[in-house]
Amino acid sequence: MSNPCREGLPVVANDGLGRDSASGPLFEDGSGQLSAPELAALKAEILALTRRYARSAHRGFRPGDDPDRAPYSGGAIPYAGRVFCEDEVEAAVASSLDFWLTLGPEGDAFEQELAAFLGVRSCLLVNSGSSANLVALSALMSPLIDPKRRLRPGDEVITCAAGFPTTVAPILQNGCVAVFVDADPGTGNLRVDQLEAAYRPGKTKAVMVAHALGNPFDLGAVLAFCRKYDLWLIEDNCDALGSSYSMPRAMAESLGFGDNSPGLDEGPDRVARYTGAWGDLSTQSFYPPHHLTMGEGGAVNVVRDQRLRRICESLRDWGRDCWCPSGRDNSCGKRYGWSLGELPEGYDHKYIYSHLGYNLKPLDLQAAIGRVQLRRLPGFIEARRSNWRWLRRALEPLGQRIGFSLPTHATAVNPETGDFAWDGSGCRSNCSWFGFLLRVKPDGPLSRSDLAHRLEQAGVGTRMLFGGNLLRQPVFQALLRDQPAAIRSVVAEMSGADGLMEQALFLGTYPGLTEAMLQREVKLLLEFAS
Ligand SMILES: Cc1ncc(COP(=O)(O)O)c(C=O)c1O
């Protein structure tokens, strides 16, 4: 009988075991079936070959300080990219051989490991940071939320005018009003002094903002504002995995936080937690430029109230009420015992829907890659910090022409040591930098765009602060025209967001940068900007 799996495939003359693999039985007993030990041996052989291949083929993707990394020999310096070794490739191939495909054991393990790293109740994998933002905001609209706090169409959500569009898009996609405060040009973060003006009693329900380029926003001020008016906080932590924020213990406790995130400790009088572990929900992106990658991917972190997880999971998984992981049935123990909506009693829980959902799951293979990356995360975070310090020290001579960022609450940096002076708020931030933000002062010899262009021509990748002032983007201009009630700006002129749009640029800090790359980057910058 013909084998449809083999039809159309090229015939492999020899399977490496000395037998013709495309025709005829593979094994002595004529069945073509390997015994369990034979399968394990074959898998081990494939994985050993995979490691050998990846080690040689991908030397240029190893961490910048890895002695086995291919030396930099000139050429393009991307602003970010995948950093991986043979372990990630092996994990991907092993997962492919297991062929579970949809989210499964690797996904479960990744979710638990990420939650343990951050010190949050749980994490939910999704297929991108944008999906994570969509799930997080949509969760607050769920009929399962306390009616007093539930978001409804027309309710207002405060956000920042500068940044990435999919931090804001879910607000509008859910029929809520996006209320924009300006950005601080020094950090790219929202201006907390505009929050009170943004608040409308009975209308404002949530704040949803990003930690810009790994620099935490002023969590002390934002959390105090949210507590004062009983508002939800969604932290878009897509660009800030590994950044942390600390405050005096008394202040943290008054905001509802007594515990440090695992591994963070600033003494008994302070509480230190990772960004993404302060709001109600937070989000991650695992797209390649981010702090860890699985190709595409993202996560929603449920910080304290585990009931939100069920809602997020339902939204991710078609809107279903059932929470069984794929491949498992009847986790609730009463699959045919529910009576919900107007469905007949005992209707299969698998097909009962409590939300208008999506399908936003990634593959288990992605999670397998992510788990290896998660083990590298502490090293990645340190490399990002060290690259930022290196750039800051080396670019100091450009201080007249270029404005440099400081971590939120820092008032100055010693460029030699990288030590910061702090403001009197008692709060501090420790950045896991996504990029090195600089603002080209307008009266210098080169504009920001000229500088970006010249660096690009010389092979040095840079990026602008994503969408700049989002309100000037074509899509928001169209919204302002077609649905003016969907957007509210707290100030007439978004001068901070405009300044970032016109003058800001960021260089990479990703862990794949080597010292030779940083040196070349700085040499070119000094040359172009002087
Ligand atoms: C702040 C922020 N939020 C969300 C996203 C979206 O993440 P993704 O590309 O995984 O959809 C990005 C993308 O880089 C981002 O920078």
Side-chain angles (χ1 to χ4, degrees):
M1 209 169 48
S2 73
N3 180 348
C5 295
R6 285 196 173 155
E7 273 164 19
L9 290 180
V11 170
V12 179
N14 189 302
D15 68 353
L17 301 173
R19 284 162 286 210
D20 175 351
S21 65
S23 61
L26 276 171
F27 296 95
E28 311 293 299
D29 68 359
S31 66
Q33 175 61 52
L34 296 178
S35 66
E38 283 172 323
L39 274 171
L42 190 55
K43 184 172 177 183
E45 193 182 339
I46 292 167
L47 296 181
L49 285 170
T50 300
R51 290 183 70 82
R52 206 176 125 205
Y53 171 84
R55 218 176 146 70
S56 182
H58 301 307
R59 279 184 71 204
F61 293 93
R62 302 181 85 82
D65 60 358
D66 185 318
D68 291 335
R69 188 196 155 94
Y72 174 64
S73 54
I77 304 173
Y79 90 98
R82 297 159 293 157
V83 179
F84 64 95
C85 301
E86 57 276 18
D87 306 323
E88 281 85 344
V89 186
E90 179 186 356
V93 172
S95 174
S96 303
L97 293 174
D98 295 345
F99 218 60
W100 181 271
L101 294 183
T102 187
L103 214 48
E106 298 288 346
D108 288 346
F110 179 89
E111 286 179 352
Q112 281 167 28
E113 288 159 7
L114 180 61
F117 174 84
L118 288 171
V120 296
R121 285 297 300 275
S122 66
C123 297
L124 183 80
L125 263 172
V126 291
N127 60 5
S128 72
S130 303
S131 299
N133 283 343
L134 178 62
V135 166
L137 196 282
S138 307
L140 306 183
M141 316 270 307
S142 165
L144 302 181
I145 298 271
D146 173 359
K148 285 199 293 294
R149 299 197 69 205
R150 175 183 172 191
L151 266 70
R152 290 193 170 75
D155 282 342
E156 298 196 345
V157 180
I158 299 173
T159 190
C160 180
F164 199 79
T166 57
T167 312
V168 178
I171 303 170
L172 298 157
Q173 285 157 341
N174 275 286
C176 293
V177 178
V179 178
F180 288 95
V181 296
D182 200 4
D184 168 9
T187 61
N189 279 316
L190 85 160
R191 286 213 15 205
V192 291
D193 58 321
Q194 294 182 358
L195 284 174
E196 284 290 343
Y199 179 72
R200 273 203 185 159
K203 275 285 168 200
T204 311
K205 292 281 178 62
V207 176
M208 182 167 182
V209 268
H211 298 289
L213 295 187
N215 196 347
F217 56 76
D218 183 340
L219 274 154
V222 172
L223 281 163
F225 173 74
C226 289
R227 295 290 180 271
K228 180 174 172 189
Y229 296 113
D230 200 16
L231 309 177
W232 300 99
L233 173 60
I234 300 176
E235 298 172 77
D236 178 335
N237 201 39
C238 287
D239 296 344
L241 182 56
S243 295
S244 60
Y245 190 90
S246 68
M247 58 179 73
R249 175 162 294 277
M251 183 178 176
E253 284 177 354
S254 75
L255 296 169
F257 295 96
D259 297 336
N260 292 317
S261 289
L264 299 181
D265 188 358
E266 296 186 8
D269 299 335
R270 297 184 66 77
V271 171
R273 294 172 67 80
Y274 287 113
T275 56
W278 294 92
D280 297 285
L281 293 169
S282 66
T283 59
Q284 305 296 157
S285 166
F286 305 126
Y287 191 65
H290 294 258
H291 296 65
L292 69 84
T293 190
M294 48 179 80
E296 300 286 351
V300 182
N301 308 314
V302 178
V303 177
R304 293 193 299 183
D305 186 345
Q306 188 67 346
R307 285 172 300 182
L308 288 171
R309 183 191 165 99
R310 223 188 112 193
I311 299 173
C312 291
E313 203 167 347
S314 170
L315 285 160
R316 181 194 68 178
D317 301 352
W318 306 281
R320 65 183 186 162
D321 200 72
C322 158
W323 57 89
C324 286
S326 102
R328 228 176 296 155
D329 289 334
N330 205 19
S331 317
C332 61
K334 51 178 224 172
R335 178 172 170 190
Y336 297 103
W338 292 89
S339 172
L340 294 171
E342 294 190 356
L343 293 167
E345 191 159 345
Y347 199 78
D348 186 354
H349 195 212
K350 250 189 192 317
Y351 292 96
I352 297 183
Y353 301 93
S354 40
H355 296 99
L356 289 178
Y358 307 91
N359 178 357
L360 303 173
K361 292 191 295 297
L363 300 177
D364 212 39
L365 177 149
Q366 290 167 263
I369 300 168
R371 288 186 71 198
V372 182
Q373 291 264 294
L374 205 44
R375 295 205 294 272
R376 296 193 200 285
L377 186 59
F380 283 175
I381 295 166
E382 194 35 54
R384 286 178 178 274
R385 285 190 182 132
S386 145
N387 290 340
W388 190 93
R389 282 195 298 269
W390 203 99
L391 287 167
R392 183 63 188 81
R393 188 174 56 239
L395 293 174
E396 175 66 7
L398 290 181
Q400 299 293 324
R401 304 248 147 95
I402 284 181
F404 300 112
S405 278
L406 283 170
T408 294
H409 298 300
T411 52
V413 61
N414 176 336
E416 278 311 308
T417 60
D419 292 336
F420 298 106
W422 300 100
D423 67 18
S425 66
C427 300
R428 286 178 203 162
S429 48
N430 193 4
C431 305
S432 170
W433 295 101
F434 187 86
F436 186 93
L437 185 68
L438 37 93
R439 275 162 298 122
V440 182
K441 295 186 181 168
D443 45 3
L446 272 187
S447 72
R448 183 278 318 271
S449 296
D450 292 337
L451 183 60
H453 186 62
R454 291 195 64 180
L455 285 168
E456 197 70 39
Q457 278 181 326
V460 175
T462 64
R463 286 290 183 275
M464 297 185 183
L465 190 62
F466 307 122
N469 179 354
L470 295 174
L471 289 160
R472 297 200 186 273
Q473 290 282 345
V475 58
F476 285 91
Q477 290 286 303
L479 273 166
L480 283 165
R481 196 180 55 237
D482 302 338
Q483 299 175 51
I487 289 172
R488 190 160 70 78
S489 296
V490 175
V491 285
E493 293 296 321
M494 296 287 175
S495 53
D498 280 342
L500 285 160
M501 185 178 61
E502 280 151 19
Q503 296 158 23
L505 179 78
F506 72 89
L507 304 169
T509 50
Y510 82 108
L513 291 169
T514 64
E515 192 156 328
M517 289 162 134
L518 289 167
Q519 271 164 355
R520 174 150 185 271
E521 230 173 76
V522 164
K523 183 170 167 286
L524 289 167
L525 250 157
L526 293 175
E527 189 183 311
F528 295 155
S530 304

